[in-house]
Amino acid sequence: MKIKCLGCDKVLVIPDNRLPRDKAIAFPCPTCSKVIRIDLRTSAAGQKPTLQTQTEKVYPTGEALKAQILKTVDELPPMPQTVIKAREIMEDPKAGFQELSALFEADQAIAAKILKLANSSYYGIKGGVSSIQKASVVLGQKTLRELVTLGGVSGLIGNQLVGYGLDAGDLWMHSLAVAFGARFIAEKIDASLASDAFTSGLLHDCGKLILDSYIAERWQQFEDAMADGETSFLDAERKVLALDHPEIASDVCKAWQIPKSISRAIRHHHHPSRSQKSKLAYIVHAADAIALMSGIGIGIDGTRYQMEEGTMTILALNDEDMGAVMGHMLSAAKKIVEE
Ligand SMILES: [Fe+2]
Ligand SMILES: [Fe+2]
Protein backbone atom coordinates (compact mmCIF):
# COMPACT_ATOMS: atom_id res chain seq x y z
CA MET A 1 0.00 0.00 0.00
CA LYS A 2 1.25 3.47 -0.84
CA ILE A 3 0.68 6.11 1.83
CA LYS A 4 1.37 9.76 1.22
CA CYS A 5 2.13 11.78 4.34
CA LEU A 6 -0.07 14.86 4.29
CA GLY A 7 2.51 16.75 6.29
CA CYS A 8 5.52 16.50 3.98
CA ASP A 9 4.15 14.66 0.89
CA LYS A 10 6.60 11.80 1.38
CA VAL A 11 5.23 8.60 -0.18
CA LEU A 12 5.74 5.54 2.00
CA VAL A 13 5.39 2.08 0.58
CA ILE A 14 4.25 -0.42 3.19
CA PRO A 15 3.71 -4.07 2.24
CA ASP A 16 0.04 -4.98 2.66
CA ASN A 17 0.87 -7.97 4.81
CA ARG A 18 2.40 -5.63 7.41
CA LEU A 19 -0.79 -3.63 7.77
CA PRO A 20 -3.36 -4.94 10.22
CA ARG A 21 -6.80 -5.49 8.70
CA ASP A 22 -9.80 -3.71 10.09
CA LYS A 23 -7.91 -1.46 12.43
CA ALA A 24 -7.09 2.20 12.75
CA ILE A 25 -3.34 2.70 13.05
CA ALA A 26 -1.07 5.65 13.77
CA PHE A 27 2.68 6.08 13.40
CA PRO A 28 5.13 8.98 13.00
CA CYS A 29 6.23 9.86 9.47
CA PRO A 30 9.95 8.96 9.27
CA THR A 31 10.64 12.18 7.37
CA CYS A 32 8.69 14.92 9.17
CA SER A 33 7.70 13.12 12.41
CA LYS A 34 4.06 14.13 12.12
CA VAL A 35 1.56 11.48 13.05
CA ILE A 36 0.07 9.58 10.15
CA ARG A 37 -3.28 7.96 10.93
CA ILE A 38 -4.88 5.45 8.63
CA ASP A 39 -8.26 3.93 9.23
CA LEU A 40 -8.14 0.50 7.63
CA ARG A 41 -11.52 -0.53 8.98
CA THR A 42 -13.35 0.54 5.84
CA SER A 43 -11.07 -1.37 3.50
CA ALA A 44 -12.93 -4.63 4.06
CA ALA A 45 -16.03 -3.12 2.51
CA GLY A 46 -14.05 -2.25 -0.59
CA GLN A 47 -13.76 1.44 0.27
CA LYS A 48 -10.47 3.29 0.29
CA PRO A 49 -8.87 3.57 3.72
CA THR A 50 -9.02 7.06 5.13
CA LEU A 51 -5.75 8.80 5.80
CA GLN A 52 -5.03 11.66 8.16
CA THR A 53 -1.84 13.39 9.19
CA GLN A 54 -1.86 15.20 12.48
CA THR A 55 -0.25 18.56 12.65
CA GLU A 56 1.53 18.15 15.97
CA LYS A 57 4.91 16.47 15.92
CA VAL A 58 5.62 13.31 17.84
CA TYR A 59 8.82 13.84 19.74
CA PRO A 60 10.79 10.69 20.36
CA THR A 61 11.87 10.28 23.97
CA GLY A 62 14.25 8.13 26.01
CA GLU A 63 16.57 5.78 24.18
CA ALA A 64 15.04 6.53 20.74
CA LEU A 65 15.74 10.22 21.23
CA LYS A 66 19.24 9.53 22.52
CA ALA A 67 20.00 7.44 19.43
CA GLN A 68 18.69 10.24 17.21
CA ILE A 69 20.78 12.88 18.99
CA LEU A 70 23.93 10.75 18.85
CA LYS A 71 23.54 10.52 15.08
CA THR A 72 23.66 14.33 14.84
CA VAL A 73 27.29 14.30 15.99
CA ASP A 74 28.26 13.18 12.49
CA GLU A 75 26.65 16.32 11.08
CA LEU A 76 28.87 18.67 13.08
CA PRO A 77 31.50 20.53 11.07
CA PRO A 78 34.75 18.58 11.53
CA MET A 79 37.81 19.87 13.31
CA PRO A 80 40.16 20.89 10.49
CA GLN A 81 42.62 18.08 9.68
CA THR A 82 45.50 20.57 9.74
CA VAL A 83 44.72 21.39 13.36
CA ILE A 84 44.53 17.73 14.39
CA LYS A 85 47.82 17.00 12.64
CA ALA A 86 49.51 20.13 14.02
CA ARG A 87 48.47 19.23 17.57
CA GLU A 88 49.97 15.77 17.03
CA ILE A 89 53.25 17.18 15.71
CA MET A 90 53.55 19.62 18.60
CA GLU A 91 52.92 16.80 21.05
CA ASP A 92 56.16 15.19 19.89
CA PRO A 93 59.13 16.91 21.53
CA LYS A 94 61.45 15.65 18.77
CA ALA A 95 59.39 17.14 15.95
CA GLY A 96 61.01 20.05 14.17
CA PHE A 97 59.36 23.17 12.90
CA GLN A 98 59.77 22.12 9.27
CA GLU A 99 57.01 19.57 9.38
CA LEU A 100 54.68 22.07 10.99
CA SER A 101 55.54 24.77 8.54
CA ALA A 102 54.83 22.47 5.56
CA LEU A 103 51.46 21.68 7.08
CA PHE A 104 50.44 25.33 7.34
CA GLU A 105 51.81 26.10 3.92
CA ALA A 106 49.27 23.66 2.54
CA ASP A 107 46.38 25.19 4.53
CA GLN A 108 46.57 28.93 4.18
CA ALA A 109 43.07 29.47 5.57
CA ILE A 110 44.00 28.05 8.97
CA ALA A 111 47.39 29.76 8.87
CA ALA A 112 45.66 33.11 8.31
CA LYS A 113 43.30 32.48 11.24
CA ILE A 114 46.22 31.64 13.51
CA LEU A 115 48.12 34.75 12.44
CA LYS A 116 45.06 36.90 13.07
CA LEU A 117 44.86 35.52 16.61
CA ALA A 118 48.62 35.96 17.06
CA ASN A 119 48.14 39.61 16.20
CA SER A 120 45.18 40.14 18.55
CA SER A 121 45.95 42.46 21.40
CA TYR A 122 46.20 39.52 23.79
CA TYR A 123 49.10 37.80 22.01
CA GLY A 124 50.16 40.64 19.74
CA ILE A 125 53.66 41.92 19.85
CA LYS A 126 55.09 45.12 18.46
CA GLY A 127 55.69 44.91 14.73
CA GLY A 128 53.10 42.21 14.25
CA VAL A 129 53.44 38.50 13.62
CA SER A 130 53.73 37.89 9.92
CA SER A 131 54.39 34.17 9.68
CA ILE A 132 53.71 31.01 11.65
CA GLN A 133 57.46 30.61 12.02
CA LYS A 134 57.77 34.05 13.57
CA ALA A 135 54.84 33.27 15.86
CA SER A 136 56.63 30.14 16.97
CA VAL A 137 59.92 31.95 17.60
CA VAL A 138 58.50 35.03 19.27
CA LEU A 139 55.65 33.52 21.22
CA GLY A 140 57.12 30.07 21.84
CA GLN A 141 55.96 26.54 21.05
CA LYS A 142 53.51 26.41 23.94
CA THR A 143 51.69 29.52 22.87
CA LEU A 144 51.69 28.46 19.24
CA ARG A 145 50.00 25.25 20.32
CA GLU A 146 47.31 27.28 22.03
CA LEU A 147 46.87 29.44 18.93
CA VAL A 148 46.50 26.39 16.71
CA THR A 149 43.72 25.05 18.94
CA LEU A 150 42.00 28.43 19.02
CA GLY A 151 42.26 28.72 15.24
CA GLY A 152 40.72 25.29 14.76
CA VAL A 153 37.82 25.89 17.10
CA SER A 154 36.97 29.52 16.36
CA GLY A 155 34.84 28.66 13.34
CA LEU A 156 33.02 25.84 15.12
CA ILE A 157 31.51 27.47 18.18
CA GLY A 158 30.62 30.99 17.12
CA ASN A 159 26.98 30.57 16.11
CA GLN A 160 23.82 31.60 17.88
CA LEU A 161 22.29 28.91 20.11
CA VAL A 162 18.57 29.57 20.27
CA GLY A 163 17.70 26.75 22.70
CA TYR A 164 20.30 27.96 25.22
CA GLY A 165 19.44 31.63 24.73
CA LEU A 166 22.94 32.47 23.50
CA ASP A 167 23.50 35.08 20.81
CA ALA A 168 26.11 34.62 18.09
CA GLY A 169 29.52 34.94 19.70
CA ASP A 170 28.28 34.34 23.28
CA LEU A 171 29.45 30.73 23.47
CA TRP A 172 32.76 31.69 21.86
CA MET A 173 33.30 34.42 24.47
CA HIS A 174 32.30 32.09 27.30
CA SER A 175 34.57 29.32 25.98
CA LEU A 176 37.51 31.72 25.69
CA ALA A 177 36.96 32.97 29.22
CA VAL A 178 36.82 29.42 30.61
CA ALA A 179 39.92 28.43 28.59
CA PHE A 180 41.99 31.35 29.92
CA GLY A 181 40.57 30.98 33.43
CA ALA A 182 41.33 27.24 33.47
CA ARG A 183 44.86 27.79 32.26
CA PHE A 184 45.38 30.49 34.89
CA ILE A 185 44.21 28.15 37.68
CA ALA A 186 46.34 25.27 36.32
CA GLU A 187 49.45 27.45 36.23
CA LYS A 188 48.90 28.22 39.88
CA ILE A 189 48.36 24.67 41.10
CA ASP A 190 49.97 22.33 38.54
CA ALA A 191 51.66 23.92 35.53
CA SER A 192 51.91 20.58 33.70
CA LEU A 193 48.13 20.74 33.21
CA ALA A 194 48.09 24.26 31.75
CA SER A 195 47.84 23.32 28.09
CA ASP A 196 45.18 20.63 28.62
CA ALA A 197 43.27 22.97 30.92
CA PHE A 198 43.17 25.52 28.12
CA THR A 199 41.82 23.03 25.57
CA SER A 200 39.32 21.55 28.04
CA GLY A 201 38.05 25.01 28.92
CA LEU A 202 37.75 25.98 25.29
CA LEU A 203 35.70 22.90 24.42
CA HIS A 204 33.82 22.23 27.67
CA ASP A 205 30.40 23.25 26.36
CA CYS A 206 30.75 21.78 22.85
CA GLY A 207 27.87 19.38 23.64
CA LYS A 208 25.57 22.40 23.47
CA LEU A 209 26.16 22.60 19.72
CA ILE A 210 24.42 19.26 19.39
CA LEU A 211 21.60 19.69 21.90
CA ASP A 212 20.59 23.23 20.96
CA SER A 213 18.06 22.44 18.22
CA TYR A 214 16.49 19.64 20.32
CA ILE A 215 16.03 22.07 23.19
CA ALA A 216 14.61 24.78 20.94
CA GLU A 217 11.87 22.48 19.63
CA ARG A 218 11.01 21.15 23.09
CA TRP A 219 10.99 24.48 24.79
CA GLN A 220 7.66 23.94 26.52
CA GLN A 221 8.89 20.67 28.01
CA PHE A 222 11.93 22.47 29.42
CA GLU A 223 9.76 25.19 30.94
CA ASP A 224 7.58 22.54 32.55
CA ALA A 225 10.59 20.63 33.86
CA MET A 226 11.97 23.77 35.48
CA ALA A 227 8.67 25.15 36.74
CA ASP A 228 9.43 24.14 40.35
CA GLY A 229 12.10 26.87 40.48
CA GLU A 230 14.72 24.39 41.66
CA THR A 231 15.46 22.04 38.77
CA SER A 232 18.62 23.16 37.03
CA PHE A 233 18.82 23.40 33.26
CA LEU A 234 21.26 20.50 33.26
CA ASP A 235 18.75 18.30 35.11
CA ALA A 236 16.06 19.41 32.67
CA GLU A 237 18.30 18.33 29.76
CA ARG A 238 18.52 14.89 31.33
CA LYS A 239 14.81 14.74 32.07
CA VAL A 240 13.62 15.87 28.65
CA LEU A 241 16.36 14.61 26.33
CA ALA A 242 17.61 11.56 28.27
CA LEU A 243 21.15 12.99 28.14
CA ASP A 244 22.92 16.22 28.97
CA HIS A 245 25.46 18.42 27.18
CA PRO A 246 28.52 17.14 29.13
CA GLU A 247 27.61 13.57 28.20
CA ILE A 248 27.18 14.28 24.49
CA ALA A 249 30.42 16.30 24.58
CA SER A 250 32.42 13.08 24.90
CA ASP A 251 31.09 12.03 21.49
CA VAL A 252 31.89 15.42 20.01
CA CYS A 253 35.43 15.16 21.43
CA LYS A 254 35.82 11.75 19.84
CA ALA A 255 34.68 13.14 16.48
CA TRP A 256 37.15 16.00 16.84
CA GLN A 257 39.95 13.63 17.95
CA ILE A 258 40.47 15.29 21.31
CA PRO A 259 42.59 13.27 23.81
CA LYS A 260 40.76 11.20 26.44
CA SER A 261 42.06 13.06 29.51
CA ILE A 262 40.52 16.22 28.12
CA SER A 263 37.23 14.62 27.16
CA ARG A 264 36.98 13.11 30.68
CA ALA A 265 37.36 16.56 32.21
CA ILE A 266 34.71 17.91 29.86
CA ARG A 267 32.41 14.99 30.63
CA HIS A 268 32.41 15.95 34.32
CA HIS A 269 32.68 19.73 34.11
CA HIS A 270 29.46 20.24 36.06
CA HIS A 271 30.14 17.51 38.65
CA PRO A 272 33.90 17.07 39.01
CA SER A 273 33.44 14.82 42.07
CA ARG A 274 32.19 12.14 39.66
CA SER A 275 35.39 12.27 37.61
CA GLN A 276 37.51 9.94 39.75
CA LYS A 277 39.53 12.85 41.03
CA SER A 278 40.41 14.44 37.70
CA LYS A 279 42.13 17.67 38.66
CA LEU A 280 41.41 18.92 35.17
CA ALA A 281 37.68 18.44 35.70
CA TYR A 282 37.84 20.52 38.91
CA ILE A 283 39.83 23.22 37.15
CA VAL A 284 37.34 23.51 34.25
CA HIS A 285 34.42 23.42 36.68
CA ALA A 286 35.85 26.26 38.75
CA ALA A 287 36.67 28.36 35.68
CA ASP A 288 33.18 27.73 34.26
CA ALA A 289 31.51 28.78 37.52
CA ILE A 290 33.68 31.89 37.80
CA ALA A 291 32.93 32.85 34.17
CA LEU A 292 29.20 32.50 34.84
CA MET A 293 29.47 34.49 38.08
CA SER A 294 30.99 37.31 36.09
CA GLY A 295 28.20 37.04 33.54
CA ILE A 296 30.25 35.84 30.56
CA GLY A 297 28.16 33.80 28.16
CA ILE A 298 25.34 33.39 30.57
CA GLY A 299 22.48 31.75 28.76
CA ILE A 300 19.34 30.18 30.12
CA ASP A 301 21.31 27.44 31.82
CA GLY A 302 23.64 29.74 33.72
CA THR A 303 21.17 31.11 36.22
CA ARG A 304 20.95 28.04 38.45
CA TYR A 305 24.59 27.02 38.19
CA GLN A 306 26.22 26.00 41.45
CA MET A 307 29.88 25.46 42.12
CA GLU A 308 30.20 21.98 43.57
CA GLU A 309 31.06 21.93 47.25
CA GLY A 310 34.71 21.32 48.01
CA THR A 311 35.98 22.62 44.64
CA MET A 312 37.79 25.61 46.14
CA THR A 313 39.42 23.47 48.82
CA ILE A 314 40.58 20.80 46.36
CA LEU A 315 42.10 23.46 44.12
CA ALA A 316 43.42 25.42 47.13
CA LEU A 317 41.81 28.59 45.87
CA ASN A 318 40.69 31.47 48.07
CA ASP A 319 38.44 34.43 47.34
CA GLU A 320 41.37 36.56 46.30
CA ASP A 321 42.47 33.94 43.75
CA MET A 322 38.96 33.83 42.40
CA GLY A 323 39.02 37.57 41.84
CA ALA A 324 42.33 37.20 40.01
CA VAL A 325 40.97 34.40 37.79
CA MET A 326 37.93 36.51 36.98
CA GLY A 327 40.00 39.54 36.06
CA HIS A 328 42.36 37.51 33.89
CA MET A 329 39.67 35.60 31.98
CA LEU A 330 37.68 38.74 31.28
CA SER A 331 40.56 40.75 29.93
CA ALA A 332 42.09 37.87 27.92
CA ALA A 333 38.81 36.91 26.23
CA LYS A 334 38.02 40.53 25.41
CA LYS A 335 41.44 41.06 23.87
CA ILE A 336 40.99 38.03 21.65
CA VAL A 337 37.62 39.06 20.26
CA GLU A 338 38.26 42.76 19.75
CA GLU A 339 39.36 43.50 16.22
FE1 LIG B 1 28.35 23.28 30.73
FE1 LIG C 1 30.12 26.61 30.46
Side-chain angles (χ1 to χ4, degrees):
M1 179 181 186
K2 278 188 182 172
I3 298 164
K4 187 174 174 183
C5 168
L6 302 177
C8 67
D9 288 341
K10 165 99 180 161
V11 177
L12 310 168
V13 183
I14 304 177
D16 285 350
N17 58 7
R18 286 186 47 201
L19 290 169
R21 283 165 170 251
D22 301 327
K23 258 190 175 174
I25 57 166
F27 56 91
C29 166
T31 307
C32 72
S33 299
K34 285 176 182 161
V35 185
I36 299 173
R37 291 180 191 282
I38 325 168
D39 191 348
L40 297 158
R41 285 172 296 193
T42 51
S43 58
Q47 289 157 315
K48 263 191 151 192
T50 55
L51 172 65
Q52 265 180 23
T53 301
Q54 260 186 2
T55 43
E56 98 269 12
K57 270 189 168 186
V58 182
Y59 292 118
T61 52
E63 287 304 308
L65 174 62
K66 196 167 168 175
Q68 191 183 326
I69 294 174
L70 286 169
K71 266 198 228 155
T72 340
V73 177
D74 298 335
E75 290 159 24
L76 259 195
M79 177 72 86
Q81 276 307 311
T82 306
V83 172
I84 294 174
K85 192 88 200 62
R87 284 177 56 92
E88 263 171 41
I89 294 174
M90 286 189 275
E91 204 75 59
D92 179 1
K94 285 184 277 154
F97 184 77
Q98 251 167 0
E99 218 181 319
L100 205 60
S101 140
L103 193 69
F104 288 119
E105 202 118 297
D107 190 341
Q108 290 294 321
I110 284 287
K113 264 189 194 170
I114 293 170
L115 285 178
K116 195 174 166 211
L117 287 159
N119 285 303
S120 68
S121 60
Y122 179 74
Y123 294 103
I125 40 154
K126 235 180 170 185
V129 183
S130 53
S131 69
I132 300 280
Q133 172 135 36
K134 191 169 174 197
S136 155
V137 173
V138 180
L139 302 168
Q141 270 294 100
K142 246 167 63 188
T143 307
L144 179 62
R145 208 182 128 81
E146 196 170 294
L147 284 168
V148 167
T149 310
L150 278 175
V153 173
S154 64
L156 306 175
I157 49 182
N159 291 340
Q160 182 189 29
L161 298 182
V162 182
Y164 283 98
L166 292 166
D167 286 336
D170 281 358
L171 183 61
W172 177 231
M173 186 71 183
H174 174 71
S175 307
L176 284 172
V178 178
F180 285 108
R183 192 188 61 184
F184 190 85
I185 298 171
E187 266 159 5
K188 193 177 140 28
I189 61 166
D190 182 350
S192 69
L193 292 174
S195 166
D196 284 357
F198 184 84
T199 309
S200 309
L202 194 64
L203 298 175
H204 76 285
D205 272 341
C206 65
K208 290 185 177 176
L209 303 176
I210 297 286
L211 296 191
D212 187 60
S213 61
Y214 293 93
I215 293 170
E217 64 181 11
R218 288 168 178 76
W219 189 237
Q220 191 53 52
Q221 284 172 264
F222 272 83
E223 289 222 313
D224 295 346
M226 294 171 72
D228 59 7
E230 275 169 29
T231 302
S232 70
F233 199 86
L234 190 78
D235 290 336
E237 281 179 5
R238 195 146 270 292
K239 233 182 200 168
V240 178
L241 303 175
L243 41 69
D244 53 32
H245 74 272
E247 184 183 340
I248 194 93
S250 330
D251 293 86
V252 179
C253 284
K254 215 188 269 165
W256 284 351
Q257 299 184 31
I258 301 297
K260 272 209 180 111
S261 59
I262 293 179
S263 84
R264 190 181 322 124
I266 293 176
R267 170 77 187 82
H268 299 289
H269 77 265
H270 282 262
H271 297 289
S273 60
R274 299 177 192 166
S275 69
Q276 292 172 326
K277 299 190 177 154
S278 155
K279 235 193 233 172
L280 213 48
Y282 277 98
I283 291 172
V284 179
H285 175 62
D288 192 21
I290 296 171
L292 291 169
M293 272 175 220
S294 52
I296 310 174
I298 200 159
I300 291 155
D301 66 329
T303 43
R304 287 183 202 160
Y305 194 105
Q306 296 265 332
M307 194 190 279
E308 208 180 49
E309 233 185 271
T311 302
M312 301 280 282
T313 319
I314 286 171
L315 297 175
L317 292 177
N318 57 32
D319 288 350
E320 204 180 307
D321 298 325
M322 254 172 85
V325 175
M326 203 181 271
H328 175 75
M329 60 167 49
L330 262 172
S331 92
K334 271 191 191 146
K335 281 181 180 164
I336 293 286
V337 295
E338 71 193 11
E339 287 295 318

